[in-house]
Amino acid sequence: GLVGSEMCIRDRYITIMKKLPKGFWWVVIGGLIFYFLLVAYADFGDFIDSLKTFGWVYVPLIIMLVILNYLIRFVKWHFLLGSAGIQIKKTFSFSVFMAGLAGTLSPGKSGEFIKPLLLNQKKGIPISKGVPVFFFERLTDLMALVILSFLGIKSTFWEVGNVILIALGFLLILFFFSNPLFWKLVFGLIGYTPKKGPFKLIMDISENIQIFWKFKVLTITLLLSILGWFMECIGYYLVFKGFGLEVPLTTASFIYAFSTVLGAIVLIPGGLGVTDGSLAALSNTVGVGKATSVASTFIIRGFTLWFAVLIGIIFLIKLQGGKSYEEIPCVDNNSVGVGNSDHNTGESGSGEEG
């Protein structure tokens, strides 16, 4: 069966997933209460009047941009799997990626941890190999949003240079903390050698994540992340256009990217309240009326956060096949590895279309 540290994490996560429906609806209720307060702040009548002025012709374009973001980030996800030596069909990889969107309504999108869990359950891929892919994917998403928010403030050469320096400094710090030598030093200083449990898993993950710090892998994934999230920034820009407002694309990018980062770092499910409040407040500071700033927040969050959760749940149900997690048998990671025949015959090949 699974090794001790992986079994521990899997069992705990199964317990969390069993409680997901209840927790999910509490988050939804909390979101509805916050949205009610936000509308009350803007004045209900003014809010409705503002929505009536919106050009709904922009909706198909906004949805297309959001979906394009998912597709671009899926390419990054599948590229990272291949870089980790995990060869699976693109169709299955896509289903896992999309199912992960169900975890969008979680603190810092941590619920997307379901992706390495699904890889383990369905294909026998060790969690210690899947988690680094998930971690690096989320890391490059965060880096992309930070860069977009900085670039959105001003687009002068000096500002861009500062962004690059900050990004490089951030990468060096993360590289340092994800290096196994760092953890060996820490455990050596306290005279502890982890042989099982979460600390052993930390060591395994830090070993496996090193393959992603190559220049080619880092460059490709970071560029794909920036391109993907920029699609949603354009979508937010089009929301303003729908209200007949000429908010610069750079300004819209800053407001959206910065608000998304803010919602992620405070570890509130889906960034509810924080991201939404930041979107409304920042757009109001750049000249957007109170009612319109709230209405634009409702629209962009509807087509990003809630649309993502809905799609994720659909793909998650499809992957589960009607079975609960405890009904899906564990796979022996010692006998079924990443490079076994199941992954190399009919299921493998990063170039296979499935």
Side-chain angles (χ1 to χ4, degrees), residues 2 29 33 44 46 48 53 62 106 115 122-124 126 131 160-162 170 212 230 234 249 262 274 308 319:
L2 299 173
I29 292 171
I33 292 173
F44 185 78
D46 292 343
I48 295 298
T53 66
I62 295 170
S106 60
K115 290 188 284 193
K122 299 294 186 179
K123 300 298 179 183
V131 170
V160 173
N162 282 341
F170 191 43
F212 300 129
F230 185 57
I234 297 174
L249 178 57
L262 201 61
V274 178
L319 276 176

Side-chain angles (χ1 to χ4, degrees), residues 1-7 10-11 120 126-127 330-334:
L2 299 173
V3 297
S5 59
E6 294 184 356
M7 178 68 78
R10 180 184 182 277
D11 289 345
N120 174 263
I127 291 178
C330 293
V331 182
D332 189 343
N333 289 320
N334 294 321

Side-chain angles (χ1 to χ4, degrees), residues 16-62:
I16 294 173
M17 290 302 295
K18 287 179 180 178
K19 299 178 181 179
L20 182 60
K22 180 180 178 180
F24 173 83
W25 289 113
W26 275 116
V27 172
V28 171
I29 292 171
L32 291 175
I33 292 173
F34 174 80
Y35 288 142
F36 174 79
L37 294 175
L38 199 60
V39 171
Y41 159 78
D43 185 86
F44 185 78
D46 292 343
F47 171 76
I48 295 298
D49 290 340
S50 181
L51 281 179
K52 289 178 180 178
T53 66
F54 182 71
W56 295 98
V57 67
Y58 285 97
V59 169
L61 289 174
I62 295 170

